Amino acid sequence: SIALRSRITRPDYRSLNPFVNIEDEYNIQTGNPYLAPEYTYTASVDYSWHYVLFASLGYEFMRGGVEDMLYIDKVTNVALSRPENIGKMHGMRASLFANIPVGKWWMMMWNVNYSLGQQTFDYESSTEKSLVSSLQLFTMHTFTFCKHYSIDFGLWWMPLSRNTFGSSKGTVYSWA
C-alpha cells in the first residue's frame, strides 16, 4: 500500500510551563510558553506477506522540531535548559517486522528500524546542518508450556547513532 500522512505534535504541559526548576546552583530548567507544534509529513510504501512479514520504506519531512537547548551564562556559569523550535528535518526510514511461529510452543518476533536524514536548525545566531541516523533492533521470544503458561525473553539494541548535537553511545535492554 501507499500512504500519505500528516501529524501535528503539540507541546505538553512541562514543555510550556514557564516556571523555573532549579536542579542545583548551576543548572536551571524552564518551559517555553511560546513553543509551537511540530508538523510532520510522511509518504511511505508498505508491504505485508501472510501476516508474517511486514516491510515499510518512507520519506519524512518535519518542521518546527523541538529540542531542549542549553544556554550558559558566561559570567555565572549557570546553565539554562529550555525547549525551543529549532528547525526542520528530512530523511528516509526503513523498517522490517517478522512474526515467526517456530512451533506451537515458540513464537519469534523481530523488528529492525533504520533512519537517515539531515536536520537543519538555528542555534546561537547561526544555522547548523547535521546528519542524523539511527538503527534499532528489537526481538522477543515467547515460549509456551503446559498450554496456559508462557515466558517471554526480549532484547532491544541501538548501536552508536548520530543525533542533533553529536552522537550517542549504543544501548542494550533485555528482560525475561
Side-chain angles (χ1 to χ4, degrees):
S1 68
I2 296 174
L4 298 173
R5 299 177 187 95
S6 65
R7 179 178 68 226
I8 299 174
T9 305
R10 291 180 172 79
D12 62 8
Y13 175 76
R14 182 201 68 80
S15 299
L16 294 170
N17 187 349
F19 295 108
V20 175
N21 177 21
I22 300 173
E23 293 180 10
D24 59 43
E25 66 239 29
Y26 293 106
N27 294 293
I28 297 173
Q29 286 185 331
T30 184
N32 181 354
Y34 302 105
L35 205 56
E38 290 180 352
Y39 296 92
T40 306
Y41 308 94
T42 306
S44 67
V45 176
D46 306 312
Y47 176 76
S48 69
W49 181 74
H50 297 283
Y51 300 103
V52 172
L53 183 67
F54 301 87
S56 178
L57 180 65
Y59 172 80
E60 185 172 274
F61 174 76
M62 186 251 311
R63 65 182 170 90
V66 176
E67 291 286 341
D68 284 332
M69 303 302 289
L70 189 63
Y71 302 98
I72 299 174
D73 186 314
K74 294 183 189 324
V75 175
T76 62
N77 281 337
V78 172
L80 171 68
S81 175
R82 175 172 106 168
E84 299 280 352
N85 294 100
I86 64 167
K88 58 187 175 186
M89 188 272 302
H90 66 92
M92 300 293 291
R93 63 173 178 72
S95 67
L96 187 61
F97 175 83
N99 201 15
I100 305 165
V102 178
K104 288 185 178 184
W105 59 278
W106 182 11
M107 178 65 79
M108 287 193 304
M109 188 176 9
W110 291 88
N111 190 7
V112 177
N113 294 301
Y114 179 72
S115 64
L116 176 65
Q118 182 176 10
Q119 189 165 25
T120 305
F121 58 95
D122 298 319
Y123 181 66
E124 293 185 345
S125 69
S126 68
T127 298
E128 303 288 331
K129 290 186 178 187
S130 67
L131 183 68
V132 291
S133 65
S134 75
L135 173 68
Q136 296 176 6
L137 172 68
F138 170 77
T139 183
M140 190 163 83
H141 300 262
T142 302
F143 299 95
T144 304
F145 55 95
C146 298
K147 285 190 178 181
H148 302 291
Y149 299 98
S150 65
I151 187 165
D152 294 331
F153 294 101
L155 176 75
W156 181 83
W157 176 62
M158 187 172 96
L160 178 73
S161 63
R162 296 181 53 91
N163 55 37
T164 304
F165 297 106
S167 57
S168 62
K169 63 180 184 172
T171 307
V172 175
Y173 295 109
S174 62
W175 64 91

